[in-house]
Amino acid sequence: MPKTEKWDEVNGASAESRMEAFLESATDSYAIMQLRRTDETAQDRFMDYDWLEMQGRTPEIDHYEVVYVGELARTADLNALLEGLYVQFNVARPEDFRGHSLSVSDIVALKQAGVVTCHYVDSIGFRQLSDFHPENYLRNAEMAMEDDYGMIDGVLNNGPKEPVREERPSVLEKLKNAPEPEWPPKQMKHREERSLE
């Protein structure tokens, strides 16, 4: 049975939850991604793609957070779809949208027929990003939260890993299994032999 998204509930959740809902959606959907507000991303905010290239950089998934997700209307015209989202998130923003107006340096991720593509909002139009992978977003978030890298499985923070207890025999067992000591001990025999001579 296909999963039905309740996007209003998803948009009230964390950025990781929104990304997870977007990636796992059974329907065509979109995600609006904006730069995190950190010192590391401050200079990239609202800069076009050519500026990034001049700096020798490309957009990095770890610098972004998902601020909104929604169901995508089916259309064959990719440019019309992206321009429609641009207008929507500048002129008629959804009431539960908490990001800034869709602007240069933002990314629109589209999931159509199970295929995810990402598009950088440029100074004019959009630029498709081939090396920007939202699937890595969840893995990176999970690696930051997990107690154990062996638990990287798509589920955030499975809980602490159970400590592996080494079975050690009890002291009582060791004493029971120890060989009988000889009497008198070897050290005493040497003393007795010396005193007799």
Side-chain angles (χ1 to χ4, degrees):
M1 183 165 121
K3 183 177 170 184
T4 303
E5 299 300 338
K6 294 182 180 177
W7 295 112
D8 54 341
E9 291 175 16
V10 170
N11 285 312
S14 69
E16 287 80 13
S17 297
R18 287 188 290 268
M19 177 57 88
E20 187 174 0
F22 166 71
L23 291 174
E24 294 180 359
S25 174
T27 61
D28 288 355
S29 55
Y30 66 91
I32 305 296
M33 302 176 72
Q34 296 180 336
L35 285 165
R36 296 177 188 276
R37 295 192 176 276
T38 65
D39 292 339
E40 188 177 20
T41 64
Q43 66 181 3
D44 297 346
R45 192 174 307 282
F46 310 117
M47 294 301 191
D48 65 16
Y49 198 85
D50 289 339
W51 183 87
L52 278 178
E53 282 185 328
M54 285 190 302
Q55 306 304 311
R57 298 198 322 261
T58 57
E60 294 181 38
I61 189 76
D62 295 340
H63 292 174
Y64 284 83
E65 65 182 341
V66 178
V67 295
Y68 199 82
V69 290
E71 191 169 341
L72 194 58
R74 290 191 178 243
T75 181
D77 188 351
L78 180 63
N79 285 332
L81 176 66
L82 290 168
E83 290 297 333
L85 287 170
Y86 185 83
V87 169
Q88 177 183 354
F89 284 90
N90 276 281
V91 177
R93 288 182 279 178
E95 286 184 29
D96 57 346
F97 177 62
R98 299 293 176 251
H100 57 74
S101 296
L102 194 60
S103 304
V104 173
S105 78
D106 293 346
I107 293 175
V108 178
L110 304 175
K111 183 176 183 183
Q112 297 173 297
V115 177
V116 176
T117 57
C118 295
H119 309 269
Y120 190 86
V121 181
D122 215 346
S123 54
I124 298 175
F126 295 82
R127 184 178 294 220
Q128 186 164 345
L129 303 173
S130 57
D131 294 334
F132 192 86
H133 302 287
E135 291 83 4
N136 296 341
Y137 183 91
L138 281 181
R139 180 175 174 80
N140 293 343
E142 186 176 7
M143 287 179 76
M145 295 179 71
E146 285 294 353
D147 301 349
D148 173 21
Y149 286 146
M151 299 298 280
I152 304 300
D153 57 4
V155 177
L156 290 178
N157 205 0
N158 297 338
K161 180 180 177 183
E162 291 295 321
V164 177
R165 291 193 63 193
E166 183 180 312
E167 284 296 319
R168 299 185 317 184
S170 71
V171 173
L172 185 59
E173 286 296 316
K174 284 182 181 178
L175 290 173
K176 284 182 183 177
N177 295 331
E180 288 288 323
E182 69 177 68
W183 190 257
K186 289 182 182 180
Q187 292 174 342
M188 280 184 108
K189 286 183 186 177
H190 291 298
R191 285 186 192 154
E192 289 173 7
E193 289 173 4
R194 276 191 232 149
S195 59
L196 294 175
E197 295 177 355

PDB file of all heavy atoms in Angstrom, residues 86-114:
ATOM      1  N   TYR A  86       9.578  28.559  -7.800  1.00  0.00           N
ATOM      2  CA  TYR A  86      10.222  29.835  -7.477  1.00  0.00           C
ATOM      3  C   TYR A  86       9.170  30.918  -7.202  1.00  0.00           C
ATOM      4  O   TYR A  86       9.249  31.629  -6.205  1.00  0.00           O
ATOM      5  CB  TYR A  86      11.152  30.268  -8.620  1.00  0.00           C
ATOM      6  CG  TYR A  86      11.926  31.506  -8.307  1.00  0.00           C
ATOM      7  CD1 TYR A  86      13.100  31.452  -7.564  1.00  0.00           C
ATOM      8  CD2 TYR A  86      11.474  32.760  -8.722  1.00  0.00           C
ATOM      9  CE1 TYR A  86      13.812  32.604  -7.257  1.00  0.00           C
ATOM     10  CE2 TYR A  86      12.178  33.922  -8.422  1.00  0.00           C
ATOM     11  CZ  TYR A  86      13.349  33.829  -7.687  1.00  0.00           C
ATOM     12  OH  TYR A  86      14.044  34.976  -7.369  1.00  0.00           O
ATOM     13  N   VAL A  87       8.183  30.989  -8.076  1.00  0.00           N
ATOM     14  CA  VAL A  87       7.108  31.975  -7.889  1.00  0.00           C
ATOM     15  C   VAL A  87       6.340  31.676  -6.606  1.00  0.00           C
ATOM     16  O   VAL A  87       6.071  32.572  -5.795  1.00  0.00           O
ATOM     17  CB  VAL A  87       6.161  32.004  -9.107  1.00  0.00           C
ATOM     18  CG1 VAL A  87       4.912  32.815  -8.820  1.00  0.00           C
ATOM     19  CG2 VAL A  87       6.896  32.548 -10.334  1.00  0.00           C
ATOM     20  N   GLN A  88       6.001  30.402  -6.381  1.00  0.00           N
ATOM     21  CA  GLN A  88       5.242  30.026  -5.196  1.00  0.00           C
ATOM     22  C   GLN A  88       5.966  30.431  -3.915  1.00  0.00           C
ATOM     23  O   GLN A  88       5.354  30.963  -2.989  1.00  0.00           O
ATOM     24  CB  GLN A  88       4.974  28.519  -5.177  1.00  0.00           C
ATOM     25  CG  GLN A  88       4.254  28.054  -3.927  1.00  0.00           C
ATOM     26  CD  GLN A  88       4.060  26.544  -3.887  1.00  0.00           C
ATOM     27  OE1 GLN A  88       4.358  25.840  -4.844  1.00  0.00           O
ATOM     28  NE2 GLN A  88       3.564  26.065  -2.768  1.00  0.00           N
ATOM     29  N   PHE A  89       7.283  30.195  -3.842  1.00  0.00           N
ATOM     30  CA  PHE A  89       8.017  30.477  -2.612  1.00  0.00           C
ATOM     31  C   PHE A  89       8.554  31.903  -2.543  1.00  0.00           C
ATOM     32  O   PHE A  89       9.353  32.229  -1.678  1.00  0.00           O
ATOM     33  CB  PHE A  89       9.123  29.429  -2.403  1.00  0.00           C
ATOM     34  CG  PHE A  89       8.554  28.129  -1.927  1.00  0.00           C
ATOM     35  CD1 PHE A  89       8.158  27.156  -2.830  1.00  0.00           C
ATOM     36  CD2 PHE A  89       8.358  27.895  -0.580  1.00  0.00           C
ATOM     37  CE1 PHE A  89       7.602  25.975  -2.391  1.00  0.00           C
ATOM     38  CE2 PHE A  89       7.810  26.718  -0.124  1.00  0.00           C
ATOM     39  CZ  PHE A  89       7.418  25.749  -1.033  1.00  0.00           C
ATOM     40  N   ASN A  90       8.068  32.767  -3.453  1.00  0.00           N
ATOM     41  CA  ASN A  90       8.361  34.189  -3.374  1.00  0.00           C
ATOM     42  C   ASN A  90       7.089  35.027  -3.288  1.00  0.00           C
ATOM     43  O   ASN A  90       7.066  36.031  -2.602  1.00  0.00           O
ATOM     44  CB  ASN A  90       9.197  34.642  -4.584  1.00  0.00           C
ATOM     45  CG  ASN A  90      10.658  34.392  -4.362  1.00  0.00           C
ATOM     46  OD1 ASN A  90      11.328  35.147  -3.673  1.00  0.00           O
ATOM     47  ND2 ASN A  90      11.164  33.302  -4.916  1.00  0.00           N
ATOM     48  N   VAL A  91       6.026  34.587  -3.967  1.00  0.00           N
ATOM     49  CA  VAL A  91       4.802  35.381  -4.047  1.00  0.00           C
ATOM     50  C   VAL A  91       3.699  34.830  -3.144  1.00  0.00           C
ATOM     51  O   VAL A  91       3.037  35.577  -2.432  1.00  0.00           O
ATOM     52  CB  VAL A  91       4.309  35.454  -5.518  1.00  0.00           C
ATOM     53  CG1 VAL A  91       3.003  36.202  -5.616  1.00  0.00           C
ATOM     54  CG2 VAL A  91       5.374  36.091  -6.398  1.00  0.00           C
ATOM     55  N   ALA A  92       3.516  33.511  -3.174  1.00  0.00           N
ATOM     56  CA  ALA A  92       2.409  32.896  -2.428  1.00  0.00           C
ATOM     57  C   ALA A  92       2.932  31.764  -1.556  1.00  0.00           C
ATOM     58  O   ALA A  92       2.535  30.609  -1.696  1.00  0.00           O
ATOM     59  CB  ALA A  92       1.361  32.385  -3.408  1.00  0.00           C
ATOM     60  N   ARG A  93       3.833  32.110  -0.628  1.00  0.00           N
ATOM     61  CA  ARG A  93       4.450  31.086   0.220  1.00  0.00           C
ATOM     62  C   ARG A  93       3.406  30.385   1.082  1.00  0.00           C
ATOM     63  O   ARG A  93       2.492  31.041   1.604  1.00  0.00           O
ATOM     64  CB  ARG A  93       5.508  31.715   1.119  1.00  0.00           C
ATOM     65  CG  ARG A  93       6.750  32.115   0.363  1.00  0.00           C
ATOM     66  CD  ARG A  93       7.779  32.671   1.287  1.00  0.00           C
ATOM     67  NE  ARG A  93       7.440  34.066   1.539  1.00  0.00           N
ATOM     68  CZ  ARG A  93       8.104  34.866   2.333  1.00  0.00           C
ATOM     69  NH1 ARG A  93       9.137  34.428   2.987  1.00  0.00           N
ATOM     70  NH2 ARG A  93       7.738  36.110   2.485  1.00  0.00           N
ATOM     71  N   PRO A  94       3.565  29.070   1.267  1.00  0.00           N
ATOM     72  CA  PRO A  94       2.663  28.351   2.171  1.00  0.00           C
ATOM     73  C   PRO A  94       2.759  28.927   3.591  1.00  0.00           C
ATOM     74  O   PRO A  94       3.820  29.399   4.009  1.00  0.00           O
ATOM     75  CB  PRO A  94       3.195  26.914   2.142  1.00  0.00           C
ATOM     76  CG  PRO A  94       3.977  26.817   0.875  1.00  0.00           C
ATOM     77  CD  PRO A  94       4.535  28.181   0.626  1.00  0.00           C
ATOM     78  N   GLU A  95       1.664  28.902   4.322  1.00  0.00           N
ATOM     79  CA  GLU A  95       1.630  29.480   5.659  1.00  0.00           C
ATOM     80  C   GLU A  95       2.613  28.810   6.615  1.00  0.00           C
ATOM     81  O   GLU A  95       3.138  29.454   7.521  1.00  0.00           O
ATOM     82  CB  GLU A  95       0.214  29.394   6.239  1.00  0.00           C
ATOM     83  CG  GLU A  95      -0.736  30.387   5.613  1.00  0.00           C
ATOM     84  CD  GLU A  95      -2.110  30.349   6.259  1.00  0.00           C
ATOM     85  OE1 GLU A  95      -2.211  30.005   7.454  1.00  0.00           O
ATOM     86  OE2 GLU A  95      -3.083  30.676   5.565  1.00  0.00           O
ATOM     87  N   ASP A  96       2.861  27.509   6.422  1.00  0.00           N
ATOM     88  CA  ASP A  96       3.763  26.800   7.338  1.00  0.00           C
ATOM     89  C   ASP A  96       5.226  26.831   6.883  1.00  0.00           C
ATOM     90  O   ASP A  96       6.079  26.190   7.475  1.00  0.00           O
ATOM     91  CB  ASP A  96       3.306  25.361   7.560  1.00  0.00           C
ATOM     92  CG  ASP A  96       3.177  24.562   6.276  1.00  0.00           C
ATOM     93  OD1 ASP A  96       3.172  25.164   5.181  1.00  0.00           O
ATOM     94  OD2 ASP A  96       3.076  23.317   6.355  1.00  0.00           O
ATOM     95  N   PHE A  97       5.537  27.596   5.843  1.00  0.00           N
ATOM     96  CA  PHE A  97       6.905  27.731   5.358  1.00  0.00           C
ATOM     97  C   PHE A  97       7.658  28.688   6.280  1.00  0.00           C
ATOM     98  O   PHE A  97       7.227  29.813   6.511  1.00  0.00           O
ATOM     99  CB  PHE A  97       6.901  28.261   3.922  1.00  0.00           C
ATOM    100  CG  PHE A  97       8.270  28.497   3.343  1.00  0.00           C
ATOM    101  CD1 PHE A  97       9.165  27.455   3.179  1.00  0.00           C
ATOM    102  CD2 PHE A  97       8.671  29.771   2.960  1.00  0.00           C
ATOM    103  CE1 PHE A  97      10.419  27.661   2.642  1.00  0.00           C
ATOM    104  CE2 PHE A  97       9.918  29.995   2.412  1.00  0.00           C
ATOM    105  CZ  PHE A  97      10.801  28.934   2.264  1.00  0.00           C
ATOM    106  N   ARG A  98       8.795  28.261   6.830  1.00  0.00           N
ATOM    107  CA  ARG A  98       9.547  29.064   7.799  1.00  0.00           C
ATOM    108  C   ARG A  98      10.891  29.546   7.263  1.00  0.00           C
ATOM    109  O   ARG A  98      11.635  30.197   7.979  1.00  0.00           O
ATOM    110  CB  ARG A  98       9.788  28.273   9.095  1.00  0.00           C
ATOM    111  CG  ARG A  98       8.500  27.859   9.782  1.00  0.00           C
ATOM    112  CD  ARG A  98       7.743  29.065  10.318  1.00  0.00           C
ATOM    113  NE  ARG A  98       6.485  28.692  10.893  1.00  0.00           N
ATOM    114  CZ  ARG A  98       5.298  28.952  10.372  1.00  0.00           C
ATOM    115  NH1 ARG A  98       5.206  29.576   9.231  1.00  0.00           N
ATOM    116  NH2 ARG A  98       4.198  28.583  10.966  1.00  0.00           N
ATOM    117  N   GLY A  99      11.216  29.261   6.019  1.00  0.00           N
ATOM    118  CA  GLY A  99      12.473  29.718   5.446  1.00  0.00           C
ATOM    119  C   GLY A  99      12.330  31.114   4.864  1.00  0.00           C
ATOM    120  O   GLY A  99      11.274  31.724   4.932  1.00  0.00           O
ATOM    121  N   HIS A 100      13.415  31.610   4.276  1.00  0.00           N
ATOM    122  CA  HIS A 100      13.334  32.901   3.581  1.00  0.00           C
ATOM    123  C   HIS A 100      12.824  32.642   2.162  1.00  0.00           C
ATOM    124  O   HIS A 100      12.772  31.506   1.708  1.00  0.00           O
ATOM    125  CB  HIS A 100      14.696  33.607   3.574  1.00  0.00           C
ATOM    126  CG  HIS A 100      15.811  32.815   2.959  1.00  0.00           C
ATOM    127  ND1 HIS A 100      15.935  32.616   1.605  1.00  0.00           N
ATOM    128  CD2 HIS A 100      16.845  32.161   3.526  1.00  0.00           C
ATOM    129  CE1 HIS A 100      16.999  31.890   1.354  1.00  0.00           C
ATOM    130  NE2 HIS A 100      17.570  31.586   2.505  1.00  0.00           N
ATOM    131  N   SER A 101      12.438  33.687   1.451  1.00  0.00           N
ATOM    132  CA  SER A 101      11.972  33.538   0.066  1.00  0.00           C
ATOM    133  C   SER A 101      13.000  32.743  -0.723  1.00  0.00           C
ATOM    134  O   SER A 101      14.205  32.883  -0.494  1.00  0.00           O
ATOM    135  CB  SER A 101      11.800  34.909  -0.582  1.00  0.00           C
ATOM    136  OG  SER A 101      10.801  35.637   0.078  1.00  0.00           O
ATOM    137  N   LEU A 102      12.542  31.930  -1.646  1.00  0.00           N
ATOM    138  CA  LEU A 102      13.451  31.131  -2.460  1.00  0.00           C
ATOM    139  C   LEU A 102      14.400  32.074  -3.184  1.00  0.00           C
ATOM    140  O   LEU A 102      13.968  32.981  -3.890  1.00  0.00           O
ATOM    141  CB  LEU A 102      12.647  30.280  -3.452  1.00  0.00           C
ATOM    142  CG  LEU A 102      13.405  29.160  -4.147  1.00  0.00           C
ATOM    143  CD1 LEU A 102      13.973  28.165  -3.147  1.00  0.00           C
ATOM    144  CD2 LEU A 102      12.492  28.436  -5.122  1.00  0.00           C
ATOM    145  N   SER A 103      15.694  31.894  -2.958  1.00  0.00           N
ATOM    146  CA  SER A 103      16.694  32.858  -3.421  1.00  0.00           C
ATOM    147  C   SER A 103      17.912  32.153  -4.002  1.00  0.00           C
ATOM    148  O   SER A 103      18.084  30.938  -3.834  1.00  0.00           O
ATOM    149  CB  SER A 103      17.169  33.718  -2.246  1.00  0.00           C
ATOM    150  OG  SER A 103      16.089  34.361  -1.627  1.00  0.00           O
ATOM    151  N   VAL A 104      18.775  32.963  -4.613  1.00  0.00           N
ATOM    152  CA  VAL A 104      20.042  32.455  -5.123  1.00  0.00           C
ATOM    153  C   VAL A 104      20.797  31.774  -3.984  1.00  0.00           C
ATOM    154  O   VAL A 104      20.812  32.276  -2.862  1.00  0.00           O
ATOM    155  CB  VAL A 104      20.876  33.610  -5.729  1.00  0.00           C
ATOM    156  CG1 VAL A 104      22.266  33.135  -6.117  1.00  0.00           C
ATOM    157  CG2 VAL A 104      20.161  34.216  -6.917  1.00  0.00           C
ATOM    158  N   SER A 105      21.362  30.631  -4.256  1.00  0.00           N
ATOM    159  CA  SER A 105      22.115  29.738  -3.352  1.00  0.00           C
ATOM    160  C   SER A 105      21.228  28.677  -2.710  1.00  0.00           C
ATOM    161  O   SER A 105      21.752  27.741  -2.099  1.00  0.00           O
ATOM    162  CB  SER A 105      22.914  30.478  -2.271  1.00  0.00           C
ATOM    163  OG  SER A 105      22.096  30.906  -1.205  1.00  0.00           O
ATOM    164  N   ASP A 106      19.906  28.786  -2.834  1.00  0.00           N
ATOM    165  CA  ASP A 106      19.028  27.727  -2.343  1.00  0.00           C
ATOM    166  C   ASP A 106      19.047  26.566  -3.341  1.00  0.00           C
ATOM    167  O   ASP A 106      19.483  26.723  -4.481  1.00  0.00           O
ATOM    168  CB  ASP A 106      17.595  28.238  -2.184  1.00  0.00           C
ATOM    169  CG  ASP A 106      17.469  29.288  -1.085  1.00  0.00           C
ATOM    170  OD1 ASP A 106      18.399  29.429  -0.276  1.00  0.00           O
ATOM    171  OD2 ASP A 106      16.430  29.973  -1.058  1.00  0.00           O
ATOM    172  N   ILE A 107      18.576  25.427  -2.900  1.00  0.00           N
ATOM    173  CA  ILE A 107      18.524  24.252  -3.765  1.00  0.00           C
ATOM    174  C   ILE A 107      17.119  23.679  -3.726  1.00  0.00           C
ATOM    175  O   ILE A 107      16.515  23.557  -2.662  1.00  0.00           O
ATOM    176  CB  ILE A 107      19.562  23.196  -3.335  1.00  0.00           C
ATOM    177  CG1 ILE A 107      20.964  23.758  -3.589  1.00  0.00           C
ATOM    178  CG2 ILE A 107      19.351  21.877  -4.064  1.00  0.00           C
ATOM    179  CD1 ILE A 107      22.099  22.893  -3.125  1.00  0.00           C
ATOM    180  N   VAL A 108      16.620  23.333  -4.916  1.00  0.00           N
ATOM    181  CA  VAL A 108      15.332  22.652  -5.026  1.00  0.00           C
ATOM    182  C   VAL A 108      15.638  21.215  -5.432  1.00  0.00           C
ATOM    183  O   VAL A 108      16.224  20.970  -6.492  1.00  0.00           O
ATOM    184  CB  VAL A 108      14.414  23.324  -6.072  1.00  0.00           C
ATOM    185  CG1 VAL A 108      13.105  22.560  -6.201  1.00  0.00           C
ATOM    186  CG2 VAL A 108      14.158  24.783  -5.702  1.00  0.00           C
ATOM    187  N   ALA A 109      15.264  20.279  -4.576  1.00  0.00           N
ATOM    188  CA  ALA A 109      15.428  18.853  -4.885  1.00  0.00           C
ATOM    189  C   ALA A 109      14.080  18.333  -5.364  1.00  0.00           C
ATOM    190  O   ALA A 109      13.043  18.615  -4.762  1.00  0.00           O
ATOM    191  CB  ALA A 109      15.899  18.093  -3.659  1.00  0.00           C
ATOM    192  N   LEU A 110      14.097  17.603  -6.458  1.00  0.00           N
ATOM    193  CA  LEU A 110      12.879  17.026  -7.021  1.00  0.00           C
ATOM    194  C   LEU A 110      12.988  15.516  -7.014  1.00  0.00           C
ATOM    195  O   LEU A 110      14.043  14.965  -7.351  1.00  0.00           O
ATOM    196  CB  LEU A 110      12.690  17.500  -8.464  1.00  0.00           C
ATOM    197  CG  LEU A 110      12.643  18.999  -8.717  1.00  0.00           C
ATOM    198  CD1 LEU A 110      12.569  19.269 -10.215  1.00  0.00           C
ATOM    199  CD2 LEU A 110      11.468  19.632  -7.993  1.00  0.00           C
ATOM    200  N   LYS A 111      11.896  14.870  -6.650  1.00  0.00           N
ATOM    201  CA  LYS A 111      11.828  13.408  -6.736  1.00  0.00           C
ATOM    202  C   LYS A 111      10.692  13.092  -7.695  1.00  0.00           C
ATOM    203  O   LYS A 111       9.530  13.325  -7.375  1.00  0.00           O
ATOM    204  CB  LYS A 111      11.571  12.780  -5.370  1.00  0.00           C
ATOM    205  CG  LYS A 111      11.560  11.264  -5.420  1.00  0.00           C
ATOM    206  CD  LYS A 111      11.405  10.656  -4.047  1.00  0.00           C
ATOM    207  CE  LYS A 111      11.467   9.157  -4.131  1.00  0.00           C
ATOM    208  NZ  LYS A 111      11.247   8.552  -2.812  1.00  0.00           N
ATOM    209  N   GLN A 112      11.071  12.595  -8.879  1.00  0.00           N
ATOM    210  CA  GLN A 112      10.091  12.274  -9.905  1.00  0.00           C
ATOM    211  C   GLN A 112      10.304  10.835 -10.353  1.00  0.00           C
ATOM    212  O   GLN A 112      11.419  10.479 -10.760  1.00  0.00           O
ATOM    213  CB  GLN A 112      10.231  13.216 -11.100  1.00  0.00           C
ATOM    214  CG  GLN A 112       9.957  14.666 -10.734  1.00  0.00           C
ATOM    215  CD  GLN A 112      10.269  15.602 -11.874  1.00  0.00           C
ATOM    216  OE1 GLN A 112      11.395  15.710 -12.308  1.00  0.00           O
ATOM    217  NE2 GLN A 112       9.230  16.271 -12.374  1.00  0.00           N
ATOM    218  N   ALA A 113       9.264  10.036 -10.260  1.00  0.00           N
ATOM    219  CA  ALA A 113       9.322   8.615 -10.615  1.00  0.00           C
ATOM    220  C   ALA A 113      10.483   7.930  -9.902  1.00  0.00           C
ATOM    221  O   ALA A 113      11.184   7.093 -10.475  1.00  0.00           O
ATOM    222  CB  ALA A 113       9.422   8.446 -12.127  1.00  0.00           C
ATOM    223  N   GLY A 114      10.722   8.301  -8.651  1.00  0.00           N
ATOM    224  CA  GLY A 114      11.763   7.671  -7.839  1.00  0.00           C
ATOM    225  C   GLY A 114      13.166   8.203  -8.067  1.00  0.00           C
ATOM    226  O   GLY A 114      14.100   7.779  -7.397  1.00  0.00           O
TER     227      GLY A 114
END
